[in-house]
Protein backbone atom coordinates (compact mmCIF):
# COMPACT_ATOMS: atom_id res chain seq x y z
CA UNK A 1 0.00 0.00 0.00
CA UNK A 2 1.35 3.40 -1.01
CA UNK A 3 -0.12 6.89 -0.62
CA UNK A 4 -3.36 5.46 0.76
CA UNK A 5 -4.13 3.28 -2.27
CA UNK A 6 -5.09 -0.36 -1.85
CA UNK A 7 -3.47 -1.82 -4.94
CA UNK A 8 -4.79 -4.86 -6.75
CA UNK A 9 -2.56 -7.90 -6.25
CA UNK A 10 -2.28 -10.11 -9.33
CA UNK A 11 -2.77 -13.57 -7.82
CA UNK A 12 -4.96 -14.75 -10.69
CA UNK A 13 -4.87 -18.47 -11.42
CA UNK A 14 -3.23 -19.08 -14.84
CA UNK A 15 -5.49 -22.13 -15.27
CA UNK A 16 -9.08 -21.98 -16.42
CA UNK A 17 -9.42 -25.65 -15.50
CA UNK A 18 -6.73 -27.52 -13.55
CA UNK A 19 -6.53 -31.32 -13.82
CA UNK A 20 -3.30 -31.67 -11.85
CA UNK A 21 -0.94 -29.23 -10.17
CA UNK A 22 0.84 -28.51 -13.45
CA UNK A 23 -1.58 -29.68 -16.14
CA UNK A 24 -4.84 -28.20 -17.31
CA UNK A 25 -6.37 -25.64 -19.62
CA UNK A 26 -4.38 -22.43 -19.26
CA UNK A 27 -5.61 -18.97 -20.16
CA UNK A 28 -2.44 -18.53 -22.22
CA UNK A 29 -3.33 -21.43 -24.48
CA UNK A 30 -6.96 -20.31 -24.59
CA UNK A 31 -5.81 -16.83 -25.67
CA UNK A 32 -4.00 -18.30 -28.67
CA UNK A 33 -7.03 -20.40 -29.59
CA UNK A 34 -9.33 -17.36 -29.40
CA UNK A 35 -6.90 -15.29 -31.45
CA UNK A 36 -6.73 -17.87 -34.22
CA UNK A 37 -10.52 -18.32 -34.21
CA UNK A 38 -11.01 -14.55 -34.48
CA UNK A 39 -8.57 -14.38 -37.40
CA UNK A 40 -10.27 -17.29 -39.17
CA UNK A 41 -13.67 -15.65 -38.71
CA UNK A 42 -12.43 -12.39 -40.21
CA UNK A 43 -10.84 -14.21 -43.16
CA UNK A 44 -14.16 -15.96 -43.84
CA UNK A 45 -15.90 -12.57 -43.63
CA UNK A 46 -13.47 -11.12 -46.18
CA UNK A 47 -14.00 -14.06 -48.54
CA UNK A 48 -17.80 -13.81 -48.36
CA UNK A 49 -17.58 -10.08 -49.09
CA UNK A 50 -15.44 -10.73 -52.17
CA UNK A 51 -12.51 -8.74 -50.79
CA UNK A 52 -10.05 -11.61 -50.41
CA UNK A 53 -8.24 -13.89 -52.84
CA UNK A 54 -8.01 -16.55 -50.12
CA UNK A 55 -11.13 -18.69 -50.66
CA UNK A 56 -13.14 -19.93 -47.69
CA UNK A 57 -12.31 -23.53 -48.59
CA UNK A 58 -8.60 -22.84 -48.08
CA UNK A 59 -8.81 -20.89 -44.82
CA UNK A 60 -8.56 -24.01 -42.67
CA UNK A 61 -5.38 -25.11 -44.44
CA UNK A 62 -3.93 -21.64 -44.13
CA UNK A 63 -4.69 -21.46 -40.41
CA UNK A 64 -2.78 -24.70 -39.81
CA UNK A 65 0.29 -23.16 -41.47
CA UNK A 66 -0.21 -19.88 -39.58
CA UNK A 67 -0.53 -21.63 -36.21
CA UNK A 68 2.71 -23.53 -36.78
CA UNK A 69 4.46 -20.34 -37.90
CA UNK A 70 3.30 -18.29 -34.92
CA UNK A 71 3.95 -20.94 -32.28
CA UNK A 72 7.34 -22.11 -33.56
CA UNK A 73 8.49 -18.61 -34.48
CA UNK A 74 7.26 -17.11 -31.22
CA UNK A 75 8.92 -19.76 -29.08
CA UNK A 76 12.21 -19.84 -30.96
CA UNK A 77 12.19 -16.04 -31.15
CA UNK A 78 11.80 -15.80 -27.39
CA UNK A 79 14.84 -18.00 -26.88
CA UNK A 80 16.97 -16.24 -29.49
CA UNK A 81 15.90 -12.60 -29.13
CA UNK A 82 15.30 -12.44 -25.35
CA UNK A 83 16.65 -15.48 -23.50
CA UNK A 84 19.84 -15.97 -25.46
CA UNK A 85 19.33 -19.75 -25.12
CA UNK A 86 20.40 -19.42 -21.47
CA UNK A 87 18.10 -22.22 -20.25
CA UNK A 88 18.66 -24.58 -23.17
CA UNK A 89 21.59 -26.40 -21.59
CA UNK A 90 19.80 -27.14 -18.32
CA UNK A 91 16.28 -27.61 -19.70
CA UNK A 92 16.34 -28.17 -23.49
CA UNK A 93 12.71 -29.29 -23.65
CA UNK A 94 11.46 -26.02 -22.17
CA UNK A 95 11.35 -24.62 -25.70
CA UNK A 96 8.48 -27.03 -26.44
CA UNK A 97 6.32 -25.98 -23.46
CA UNK A 98 4.52 -23.15 -25.24
CA UNK A 99 1.59 -23.34 -22.81
CA UNK A 100 3.80 -21.93 -20.07
CA UNK A 101 4.33 -18.64 -21.90
CA UNK A 102 7.64 -17.29 -23.13
CA UNK A 103 6.59 -16.23 -26.62
CA UNK A 104 8.06 -13.37 -28.63
CA UNK A 105 5.88 -11.20 -30.87
CA UNK A 106 8.78 -10.46 -33.18
CA UNK A 107 9.66 -14.15 -33.46
CA UNK A 108 6.03 -15.05 -34.06
CA UNK A 109 5.86 -12.40 -36.77
CA UNK A 110 8.88 -13.89 -38.51
CA UNK A 111 7.32 -17.34 -38.27
CA UNK A 112 3.98 -16.27 -39.70
CA UNK A 113 5.68 -14.37 -42.54
CA UNK A 114 7.45 -17.59 -43.54
CA UNK A 115 4.15 -19.49 -43.31
CA UNK A 116 2.36 -16.85 -45.40
CA UNK A 117 5.15 -16.89 -48.01
CA UNK A 118 5.01 -20.69 -48.29
CA UNK A 119 1.22 -20.77 -48.50
CA UNK A 120 1.05 -17.95 -51.05
CA UNK A 121 3.55 -19.72 -53.27
CA UNK A 122 1.89 -23.13 -52.97
CA UNK A 123 -1.62 -21.79 -53.67
CA UNK A 124 -0.72 -19.15 -56.26
CA UNK A 125 -2.00 -16.24 -54.16
CA UNK A 126 -0.11 -12.92 -54.46
CA UNK A 127 2.14 -12.66 -51.41
CA UNK A 128 1.50 -8.95 -50.82
CA UNK A 129 -2.27 -9.50 -50.87
CA UNK A 130 -2.09 -12.37 -48.39
CA UNK A 131 0.17 -10.32 -46.10
CA UNK A 132 -2.35 -7.48 -46.18
CA UNK A 133 -5.34 -9.55 -45.15
CA UNK A 134 -3.41 -11.47 -42.49
CA UNK A 135 -2.03 -8.23 -41.01
CA UNK A 136 -5.56 -6.86 -40.71
CA UNK A 137 -6.51 -9.76 -38.40
CA UNK A 138 -3.32 -9.99 -36.32
CA UNK A 139 -4.27 -7.52 -33.54
CA UNK A 140 -7.10 -9.78 -32.38
CA UNK A 141 -4.64 -12.45 -31.31
CA UNK A 142 -2.34 -9.90 -29.68
CA UNK A 143 -5.24 -8.59 -27.59
CA UNK A 144 -6.01 -12.00 -26.11
CA UNK A 145 -2.32 -12.77 -25.64
CA UNK A 146 -1.63 -9.59 -23.65
CA UNK A 147 -4.62 -10.24 -21.40
CA UNK A 148 -3.22 -13.72 -20.78
CA UNK A 149 0.16 -12.12 -19.91
CA UNK A 150 -1.64 -10.14 -17.20
CA UNK A 151 -3.42 -13.22 -15.85
CA UNK A 152 -0.07 -15.04 -15.77
CA UNK A 153 1.47 -12.14 -13.84
CA UNK A 154 4.33 -11.80 -16.35
CA UNK A 155 5.86 -8.99 -18.43
CA UNK A 156 4.93 -6.52 -15.72
CA UNK A 157 5.39 -2.77 -15.94
CA UNK A 158 7.73 -0.30 -14.29
CA UNK A 159 7.21 0.79 -10.67
CA UNK A 160 4.61 3.52 -10.21
CA UNK A 161 2.25 5.01 -7.63
CA UNK A 162 -0.73 5.66 -9.92
CA UNK A 163 -4.09 4.62 -8.44
CA UNK A 164 -4.54 1.76 -10.91
CA UNK A 165 -1.13 0.22 -10.27
CA UNK A 166 -0.92 -3.52 -9.66
CA UNK A 167 1.30 -5.59 -7.41
CA UNK A 168 2.79 -8.61 -9.17
CA UNK A 169 4.02 -11.18 -6.62
CA UNK A 170 6.38 -12.70 -9.22
CA UNK A 171 8.15 -9.37 -9.81
CA UNK A 172 11.60 -8.68 -8.31
CA UNK A 173 12.03 -8.03 -4.60
CA UNK A 174 11.21 -5.55 -3.17
CA UNK A 175 7.73 -6.04 -4.54
CA UNK A 176 6.28 -2.64 -5.42
CA UNK A 177 3.20 -1.40 -7.32
CA UNK A 178 3.75 -1.43 -11.07
CA UNK A 179 2.05 -0.31 -14.25
CA UNK A 180 -0.27 -3.03 -15.61
CA UNK A 181 1.60 -2.65 -18.90
CA UNK A 182 0.13 -5.89 -20.24
CA UNK A 183 -3.31 -4.25 -20.24
CA UNK A 184 -1.94 -1.08 -21.82
CA UNK A 185 -0.50 -3.25 -24.60
CA UNK A 186 -3.75 -5.20 -24.95
CA UNK A 187 -5.59 -1.92 -25.49
CA UNK A 188 -3.02 -0.42 -27.87
CA UNK A 189 -1.49 -3.34 -29.77
CA UNK A 190 -4.78 -5.23 -29.72
CA UNK A 191 -7.89 -3.07 -29.50
CA UNK A 192 -6.64 0.16 -31.09
CA UNK A 193 -4.76 -1.52 -33.93
CA UNK A 194 -7.63 -3.91 -34.67
CA UNK A 195 -10.00 -0.95 -35.01
CA UNK A 196 -7.50 0.89 -37.23
CA UNK A 197 -6.81 -2.09 -39.47
CA UNK A 198 -10.48 -2.94 -39.89
CA UNK A 199 -11.24 0.67 -40.71
CA UNK A 200 -8.51 0.72 -43.36
CA UNK A 201 -9.57 -2.64 -44.79
CA UNK A 202 -13.29 -1.90 -45.14
CA UNK A 203 -13.23 1.86 -45.75
CA UNK A 204 -10.55 1.96 -48.42
CA UNK A 205 -9.55 0.05 -51.52
CA UNK A 206 -5.90 -0.09 -50.51
CA UNK A 207 -5.70 -3.91 -50.48
CA UNK A 208 -6.69 -4.05 -54.15
CA UNK A 209 -4.97 -0.94 -55.46
CA UNK A 210 -1.73 -0.92 -53.41
CA UNK A 211 -0.94 -4.51 -52.36
CA UNK A 212 1.51 -4.64 -49.49
CA UNK A 213 0.70 -1.17 -48.18
CA UNK A 214 -1.74 -2.31 -45.50
CA UNK A 215 0.82 -4.78 -44.12
CA UNK A 216 3.35 -1.94 -44.08
CA UNK A 217 0.95 0.34 -42.24
CA UNK A 218 0.41 -2.38 -39.67
CA UNK A 219 4.15 -2.76 -39.04
CA UNK A 220 4.60 0.99 -38.62
CA UNK A 221 1.54 1.33 -36.38
CA UNK A 222 2.53 -1.66 -34.27
CA UNK A 223 6.06 -0.32 -33.87
CA UNK A 224 4.70 3.06 -32.75
CA UNK A 225 2.35 1.69 -30.08
CA UNK A 226 4.90 -0.92 -28.94
CA UNK A 227 7.60 1.72 -28.47
CA UNK A 228 5.11 3.83 -26.52
CA UNK A 229 4.11 0.84 -24.40
CA UNK A 230 7.77 0.08 -23.65
CA UNK A 231 7.88 3.35 -21.69
CA UNK A 232 5.72 1.67 -19.05
CA UNK A 233 7.08 -1.90 -19.29
CA UNK A 234 9.96 -3.24 -17.23
CA UNK A 235 12.67 -4.49 -19.63
CA UNK A 236 12.76 -8.28 -19.45
CA UNK A 237 16.20 -8.68 -21.04
CA UNK A 238 19.43 -6.70 -21.33
CA UNK A 239 19.31 -3.46 -23.28
CA UNK A 240 20.58 -2.99 -26.84
CA UNK A 241 22.22 0.40 -27.48
CA UNK A 242 20.46 1.67 -24.38
CA UNK A 243 17.05 0.60 -25.69
CA UNK A 244 14.77 -2.16 -24.49
CA UNK A 245 14.71 -5.09 -26.87
CA UNK A 246 11.06 -4.47 -27.68
CA UNK A 247 11.91 -0.91 -28.73
CA UNK A 248 15.02 -1.93 -30.69
CA UNK A 249 13.27 -4.67 -32.66
CA UNK A 250 10.26 -2.41 -33.27
CA UNK A 251 12.46 0.26 -34.87
CA UNK A 252 13.56 -2.40 -37.37
CA UNK A 253 9.89 -3.31 -37.95
CA UNK A 254 9.04 0.32 -38.61
CA UNK A 255 11.74 0.51 -41.28
CA UNK A 256 10.37 -2.62 -42.94
CA UNK A 257 6.88 -1.13 -42.78
CA UNK A 258 7.95 2.10 -44.46
CA UNK A 259 9.58 0.07 -47.23
CA UNK A 260 6.35 -1.92 -47.75
CA UNK A 261 4.27 1.26 -47.85
CA UNK A 262 6.59 2.76 -50.46
CA UNK A 263 6.48 -0.47 -52.48
CA UNK A 264 2.67 -0.55 -52.36
CA UNK A 265 2.47 3.09 -53.40
CA UNK A 266 4.75 2.44 -56.39
CA UNK A 267 2.66 -0.54 -57.48
CA UNK A 268 -0.47 1.58 -57.13
CA UNK A 269 1.03 4.32 -59.29
CA UNK A 270 2.12 1.77 -61.91
CA UNK A 271 -1.38 0.30 -62.06
CA UNK A 272 -2.96 3.74 -62.31
CA UNK A 273 -0.57 4.68 -65.11
CA UNK A 274 -1.27 1.50 -67.03
CA UNK A 275 -5.03 1.98 -66.66
CA UNK A 276 -4.84 5.55 -68.02
CA UNK A 277 -3.02 4.55 -71.21
Amino acid sequence: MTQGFAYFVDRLDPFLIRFTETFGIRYYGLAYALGFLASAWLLHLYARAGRSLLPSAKIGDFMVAAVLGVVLGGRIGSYVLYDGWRTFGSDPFAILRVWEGGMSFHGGLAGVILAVAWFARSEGIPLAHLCDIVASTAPAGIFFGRVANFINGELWGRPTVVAWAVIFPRSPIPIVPRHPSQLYEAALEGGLLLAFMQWRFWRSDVVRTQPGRLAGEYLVAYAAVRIFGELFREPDASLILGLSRGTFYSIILAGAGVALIAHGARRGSSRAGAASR
Side-chain angles (χ1 to χ4, degrees), residues 13-91:
D13 190 340
F15 288 89
L16 174 64
I17 301 174
R18 190 188 295 266
F19 301 116
T20 67
E21 184 64 26
T22 59
F23 179 72
I25 299 175
R26 293 175 179 259
Y27 284 103
Y28 199 79
L30 182 62
Y32 271 79
L34 290 174
F36 288 125
L37 286 174
S39 293
W41 177 76
L42 286 170
L43 291 175
H44 278 290
L45 197 63
Y46 300 166
R48 289 197 298 269
R51 297 177 68 94
S52 170
L53 298 179
L54 176 63
S56 291
K58 292 291 184 178
I59 291 175
D61 295 337
F62 171 73
M63 292 308 300
V64 171
V67 168
L68 289 174
V70 169
V71 173
L72 293 177
R75 192 61 170 173
I76 294 172
S78 178
Y79 263 61
V80 173
L81 300 177
Y82 289 89
D83 295 340
W85 299 92
R86 63 174 178 263
T87 63
F88 191 76
S90 59
D91 189 9

Side-chain angles (χ1 to χ4, degrees), residues 25-256:
I25 299 175
R26 293 175 179 259
Y27 284 103
Y28 199 79
L30 182 62
Y32 271 79
L34 290 174
F36 288 125
L37 286 174
S39 293
W41 177 76
L42 286 170
L43 291 175
H44 278 290
L45 197 63
Y46 300 166
R48 289 197 298 269
R51 297 177 68 94
S52 170
L53 298 179
L54 176 63
S56 291
K58 292 291 184 178
I59 291 175
D61 295 337
F62 171 73
M63 292 308 300
V64 171
V67 168
L68 289 174
V70 169
V71 173
L72 293 177
R75 192 61 170 173
I76 294 172
S78 178
Y79 263 61
V80 173
L81 300 177
Y82 289 89
D83 295 340
W85 299 92
R86 63 174 178 263
T87 63
F88 191 76
S90 59
D91 189 9
F93 295 106
I95 196 170
L96 302 177
R97 295 197 289 271
V98 296
W99 55 88
E100 293 182 357
M103 301 285 282
S104 160
F105 166 82
H106 299 91
L109 177 64
V112 80
I113 288 174
L114 290 175
V116 167
W118 171 80
F119 194 86
R121 181 180 177 84
S122 64
E123 296 296 331
I125 300 173
L127 175 59
H129 174 82
L130 194 55
C131 286
D132 282 341
I133 63 173
V134 170
S136 71
T137 71
I142 296 175
F143 172 81
F144 291 117
R146 292 307 188 196
V147 172
N149 290 149
F150 179 78
I151 294 174
N152 282 355
E154 61 191 3
L155 305 182
W156 47 75
R158 299 176 189 269
T160 184
V161 294
V162 296
W164 58 88
V166 174
I167 293 175
F168 297 96
R170 292 176 57 188
S171 62
I173 296 175
I175 297 175
V176 297
R178 295 176 177 273
H179 283 288
S181 58
Q182 313 96 322
L183 300 183
Y184 300 170
E185 291 174 316
L188 294 172
E189 300 171 15
L192 179 63
L193 286 195
L194 182 62
F196 170 71
M197 294 300 287
Q198 290 300 301
W199 173 71
R200 287 289 286 151
F201 182 86
W202 293 106
R203 297 296 182 180
S204 75
D205 204 20
V206 65
V207 172
R208 185 184 65 83
T209 60
Q210 300 183 46
R213 181 183 179 109
L214 190 61
E217 290 181 4
Y218 171 70
L219 293 181
V220 172
Y222 176 85
V225 297
R226 177 65 184 265
I227 290 171
F228 177 74
E230 289 286 319
L231 298 175
F232 305 96
R233 177 173 165 176
E234 186 76 25
D236 53 338
S238 59
L239 303 181
I240 299 178
L241 301 178
L243 302 173
S244 71
R245 297 197 173 209
T247 296
F248 181 80
Y249 300 141
S250 293
I251 291 173
I252 298 173
L253 278 190

